[in-house]
Amino acid sequence: MKLWFDELYTENTKFSIKVDEHIYTERTPFQRIDFFKSYDYGMFFTLDGYMMVNEKDEFIYHDMITHVPMAVNPDIKRVLVIGGGDGGTVRELTRYETIESIDLVEIDERVVRLCQKYLPITSSKLEDERVKMHFEDGIRFISDKENVYDLIIVDSTDPIGPGEGLFTLDFYKNCHKALSENGILINQHESPYYERDAKEMKRAHKKLREIFEICKVYQYHMPTYASGHWLFGFASKSLDPIKDHKKDQWEALGLKTKYYNSNIHKGAFALPTYVIEMLNEK
Ligand code: AG3
């Protein structure tokens, strides 16, 4: 029997992955979690039917979500990751010896536990002594924090289901308050290509622009997310991702990366015209 995982990109377009084995499925109070073993992408997991992480292209996402802010401020010491229960973002952060603490706030403990079981490639550094895990709602967690983080990474799902509140104005305001003077906020910023994703991308940017002094968007190529063209937001109180790029300082660290490099850093902020126009819409 042939088993295929299908993800609907629109009502009329889908992406299919031939699966060797459907390893596990569980419905938690928050979402449905599935793990599959595939031929081309290795192990992968989905939340409510959407691709989250697979062994083949996770390095792209996790390189871009961490090394971009770290190369703008290599002095980042206190980090908060909201979502990201697979551990991939934390794994990249732990490579910086100068980072002192990493709070991981994941609403669904089952995501972490299952990734620890089935996806060691991303979860292996959750045991690092600087990492503290909090299984609670990121919106609540951040609401009483002031001037405590140099970097906040919102490694969220799409704004449907448990991820919804992580795309709101109030949440972004609280992030601003929780950040230090040179603080940076990176957020999963959806995609400009299919209409549903583009709508969320525009809404997120509009809100972030209201709150943050510096508010940019950068792109990367993610083969297994709808259209393959995906974005992160870079928002900060004072640092500009290009003007304040510490290329030499970052390169001197000697970190080996598979996707990120200093030219990609610069190039990622150069956006196609149609994306700039969408982001500038009033
Ligand atoms: N975070 C989810 C990114 C968005 C996925 N959306 C989609 N496929 N429609 C991935 C977590 C990686 N640490």
Side-chain angles (χ1 to χ4, degrees):
M1 201 183 71
K2 286 200 189 82
L3 189 59
W4 290 79
F5 162 78
D6 285 345
E7 183 179 317
L8 285 184
Y9 284 172
T10 75
E11 262 170 49
N12 314 302
T13 303
K14 75 174 179 187
F15 179 58
S16 269
I17 298 176
K18 192 171 170 189
V19 160
D20 182 22
E21 201 183 335
H22 189 174
I23 300 278
Y24 187 80
T25 183
E26 178 176 331
R27 208 174 271 282
T28 74
F30 304 101
Q31 54 211 338
R32 180 183 157 153
I33 311 177
D34 289 278
F35 281 81
F36 301 90
K37 210 162 87 196
S38 70
Y39 299 94
D40 287 351
Y41 300 91
M43 188 71 92
F44 70 91
F45 92 97
T46 62
L47 294 179
D48 291 335
Y50 290 102
M51 172 64 80
M52 291 294 126
V53 172
N54 66 74
E55 290 182 298
K56 189 166 169 68
D57 68 13
E58 61 81 19
F59 71 96
I60 301 173
Y61 185 96
H62 295 123
D63 265 20
M64 291 301 278
I65 205 169
T66 52
H67 303 309
V68 170
M70 290 308 296
V72 173
N73 179 10
D75 297 323
I76 284 169
K77 293 195 169 51
R78 299 159 300 170
V79 185
L80 169 64
V81 178
I82 297 181
D86 56 88
T89 298
V90 166
R91 179 196 67 207
E92 289 307 307
L93 290 167
T94 58
R95 301 179 68 198
Y96 292 86
E97 281 166 20
T98 45
I99 290 181
E100 291 169 0
S101 67
I102 304 169
D103 284 324
L104 175 74
V105 181
E106 166 61 59
I107 197 166
D108 195 346
E109 179 172 0
R110 294 302 294 152
V111 172
V112 172
R113 299 304 170 212
L114 291 167
C115 287
Q116 284 177 320
K117 183 162 181 193
Y118 297 119
L119 264 181
I121 190 177
T122 54
S123 60
S124 59
K125 289 292 187 296
L126 289 171
E127 305 301 325
D128 187 288
E129 56 183 18
R130 292 167 292 170
V131 178
K132 191 156 180 238
M133 291 198 261
H134 310 259
F135 300 114
E136 57 179 284
D137 191 347
I139 300 161
R140 264 237 327 261
F141 182 88
I142 203 165
S143 60
D144 60 351
K145 306 280 182 296
E146 229 168 292
N147 190 19
V148 281
Y149 294 109
D150 306 312
L151 171 64
I152 298 175
I153 297 182
V154 184
D155 185 2
S156 72
T157 56
D158 302 328
I160 16 165
E164 205 177 332
L166 302 177
F167 286 77
T168 60
L169 195 66
D170 279 348
F171 173 70
Y172 295 142
K173 274 187 196 155
N174 284 333
C175 287
H176 190 276
K177 180 161 65 73
L179 284 168
S180 57
E181 206 182 320
N182 287 328
I184 299 173
L185 170 71
I186 302 291
N187 68 305
Q188 194 283 97
H189 212 302
E190 299 292 297
S191 161
Y193 196 70
Y194 292 114
E195 203 180 317
R196 195 203 58 170
D197 305 326
K199 211 173 106 207
E200 301 302 346
M201 167 200 85
K202 288 189 271 188
R203 278 178 51 202
H205 187 65
K206 218 186 216 168
K207 293 174 192 165
L208 283 162
R209 227 171 24 193
E210 277 185 41
I211 297 162
F212 282 87
E213 290 75 359
I214 292 167
C215 188
K216 305 275 154 111
V217 170
Y218 62 101
Q219 62 184 10
Y220 52 100
H221 176 238
M222 196 61 190
T224 60
Y225 290 171
S227 85
H229 185 187
W230 216 260
L231 309 169
F232 286 127
F234 180 108
S236 90
K237 296 189 181 183
S238 62
L239 295 172
D240 181 280
I242 301 296
K243 286 192 210 112
D244 296 305
H245 180 201
K246 315 281 186 311
K247 176 179 182 291
D248 298 337
Q249 213 181 324
W250 187 84
E251 286 177 358
L253 295 172
L255 293 179
K256 191 168 165 16
T257 46
K258 207 160 139 191
Y259 187 86
Y260 178 84
N261 57 49
S262 298
N263 284 332
I264 286 271
H265 182 114
K266 261 189 264 152
F269 287 89
L271 299 173
T273 305
Y274 85 97
V275 181
I276 297 173
E277 285 174 357
M278 277 183 178
L279 291 170
N280 286 341
E281 277 175 27
K282 288 282 175 287

